[in-house]
Amino acid sequence: MPVDLARPVLDPTFGDPVARDLAKATAHGDKALLRRVAADTDDPDRRSFLLGVAVDHPGRPEWIVRWPDEEPEEALAHFVRGAHGILWAWEARGNARAGMTSEEQFREFHQRLAGAERDLVRAAVLAPDDPEPRVQLLTTARGLQLGTQELCHRFAKATARHPWHYRAHTLMLQGVAPKWSGSSALMFNFARSRAAEAPVGSAVASLVVEAHIETWVDEPDDETGYLAAPDVQRELRAVAARLKEAPDTPAALRAANLLAFTFALGGDDEAAAEQFRAIGSHVTESPWQYLARDVVTSFTKYRDRALNPA
Amino acid sequence: MASSRRAGAGLLGLRALLGAVLLLGFYVLAAVLVVLVVGGIVGIALAFTLIFHVTGGFVFWFLIGTTGGGLALLRGAFGRMRAGRDGPGGLAVSETVQPRLWAEVRELAAEVGAPAPRVIRIAPDANAAVHQRVRLFGLVRGRVTLVVGMALLNGLDRAELRAVLAHEFGHISGGDTRLGPLVYRSQSRLVRTIAALHTSGKGLDLFLARIVGLYLRLCLRVTAAVSRAQERAADASAARVAGPETTAAALTAVGMASELFASFTNQYVVRLWQAGRYPDDLYGGLRKFTLAAFAEGGLEQLRQRVLAAPSERWDTHPSVSERLALLAEMPASTKETVPDVPARGLLENPDKLERTISLALARDVTGLPEPAAVDWDAAAEIYGRTVTRSGARLADAGVRVGGRWDEPGFDQALEMLAAGRGAELAAALHPKGAAALDAEDERRTLHRALVAALPGVLVAEHGARWKTSWTAVVEIEWAGTPITDLADMALVGPDGVAVLRAELGRPAVDLTPVPPLEEPAHAG
């Protein structure tokens, strides 16, 4: 079997031509394509992916700040400022955990996030059938520490509009993880019940993998061998089986990255190799950022080991 | 009276001198410091040139850059001060609209020998103050403005208000308010300069801040004594007009009105502002709150607290007890007594004025152009939200420990209690976690969380209502089993939980863990 050793690239657009054009246009404040994509993309997961690319810009672009003032009745304007506000808030937080950040950083984080919440609530009111603002409100609920019950409530509202919304599920999983406002029991119950009910091929099945990674993060010592435990590996294989026929979407590629990671760290290079082949060059930030070295280096190390066994 | 005028006039020159000297002295100090700093830097640069025989220009600019060259000091001392910060606030009321208040004020001003104010403003709080514009360091008389707080008019009777006004006018008849603002402004200037130096944070600037700080302490030492002497003189003039007993009563009453207004605002009004509302009957609420405090015996405690408040070293007012002692030494009044009616009775159409002030205050605080009016009955619903929010802790713990994202947290919490897993629930509720809890702590934690959570359930599902309380802010109107009894019931095991569920119509929930994912059968 020919081994694809294409250079891995961390590309939020996954090489998708529409996503690339959208990233380029929004980088200099051109909203025309964004409007078209938001109006014409029918698949909610693809739409969620494209809107995510459109707001993924560092700092606080002027056009994003101004847009809702220019068009106060345009839901997309409020959504974009809110969704970008979340990224901007995490920029202030410096990607460290709450206990490690300084007081001012945390205040700034909180302030930006509260602004994002206001924008997203406004967008949700203006676009009552759109799951997207409600999906993003899961992140503000988590960051603003509005409580576990409120988080569950918001998840129910988001998925009432699209039951298998992938981003809604991964954001909810972060929220119910022990490090935020959840617990191990809640996180696994959530991941397993949603994965079991999801249609075969839906990336939602990979929630279980994510839950195991969250558990491993709290004891990332290789010696403990959490990911190598037979019952963990068995469940990972169950997920892989469900995702075998998954279409080639950003969500499925992220799921493959999660599986490759857990198989590789758990010592099953054969199962990992299958995932690495499906991934090709499309490395994702999560979960490789949990390792000490940079994402591409870590990914390459484990991929080479899995695809070219000594 | 004539003798005190002469004494006042004798002090006038001294005070004018003092005010001018303090301010000018600071400018001289600032100028000298800047000259020293720049001179020092030039000296170093010249020395560099002489010793190394190369131009010291870059040394000069390097030192200016790293030390700031005293620029922050210059900016603090000579930069523009924001105007209007210390001017009087409140709502101006004309003589045609409030004739009786104006008549009372004019009469008292005349009695104390002070010029009648040109403007009367009604502020929201419980203060009274006289402002006089300053020209030429206070040597020329400026326009006089009287500010009276609405909470003061509500908390004092008419005789006490007369004493307060006589006290305030006592300040201008003595001539001291003409200098008061000048002394105040020169002190603000110093404080601002120190702040500017601290903001710059450079080593040299921090050193300069210490020098200016020492100068400020000197100024305060001189002027605080002057301010306190003025205060005592104003008390004496109030005692002449209103009698020492009434003046003493007014002194305590002002302190109490101020405390009552502050605690009323904190407990009852801030939450409405936060919700974008304002109470249309702010002062009616204040009156009910005061009556309730009186009925509960809280006013006596408050009086003791006001009397016990110490005078601080830099305080411009002597302590209340010190002033009361001085008043007690004065001969009793021979004046006819003023009828014992609320000072608010001097106002025409007081309800409307109070509403206007409440709205203006809410605009000021919230920054909203049109906050929505709310009456005290409707306010209960907003207060209830705070209770509901604190009750959400039980639901959150229920979801976290019960582990179901799709069942109400309250029901999961009850399930935990029914299953004898109260300890886990308590650990999730307690900030210290499981480690610190003994059986009694555990019970207390759970009971408190249940008492906080139950009102939300009763209001949402069982027709209970929030009601504003003038002692507890908000209480629940609920005809069924009392809330503490319901909470007790939840803590006696599965049978108690079953009774509680029946009374509240809540279902049992299944908390069996979801099994791990199995490989699909055909995958082999």
Side-chain angles (χ1 to χ4, degrees), chain A residues 220-235:
Chain A
D221 183 2
D222 271 29
E223 295 300 307
T224 64
Y226 175 81
L227 291 174
D231 49 345
V232 174
Q233 285 287 318
R234 196 179 314 123
E235 204 171 14

Side-chain angles (χ1 to χ4, degrees), chain A residues 147-161:
Chain A
T148 327
Q149 173 93 79
E150 174 66 16
L151 187 73
C152 296
H153 191 61
R154 290 185 179 195
F155 177 74
K157 278 190 174 173
T159 47
R161 286 159 178 85

Side-chain angles (χ1 to χ4, degrees), chain A residues 298-309:
Chain A
S298 299
F299 174 88
T300 311
K301 173 185 152 196
Y302 283 100
R303 184 182 70 171
D304 291 353
R305 198 185 78 183
L307 293 181
N308 301 312

Side-chain angles (χ1 to χ4, degrees), chain A residues 146-150 152-153 155-156 172 176 181-183 185-186 188-190 192-196 205 208 234-235 237-239 241-242, chain B residues 392 394-412 421 511-520 522-523:
Chain A
L146 301 186
T148 327
Q149 173 93 79
E150 174 66 16
C152 296
H153 191 61
F155 177 74
M172 176 72 171
V176 296
S181 44
S183 65
L186 177 61
F188 274 105
N189 278 346
F190 170 72
R192 285 170 174 156
S193 65
R194 295 308 285 172
V208 173
R234 196 179 314 123
E235 204 171 14
R237 282 197 301 276
V239 174
R242 275 154 208 268
Chain B
L394 182 72
D396 285 343
V399 176
R400 264 201 319 276
V401 182
R404 289 297 160 145
W405 59 276
D406 49 357
E407 297 283 1
F410 181 76
D411 292 334
Q412 296 190 58
R421 293 171 65 191
L511 299 184
T512 317
V514 178
L517 213 58
E518 294 292 338
E519 291 190 54
H522 64 267

Side-chain angles (χ1 to χ4, degrees), chain A residues 206-225:
Chain A
S206 69
L207 286 184
V208 173
V209 185
E210 225 165 327
H212 281 304
I213 293 173
E214 286 303 326
T215 311
W216 165 83
V217 166
D218 284 336
E219 36 179 323
D221 183 2
D222 271 29
E223 295 300 307
T224 64

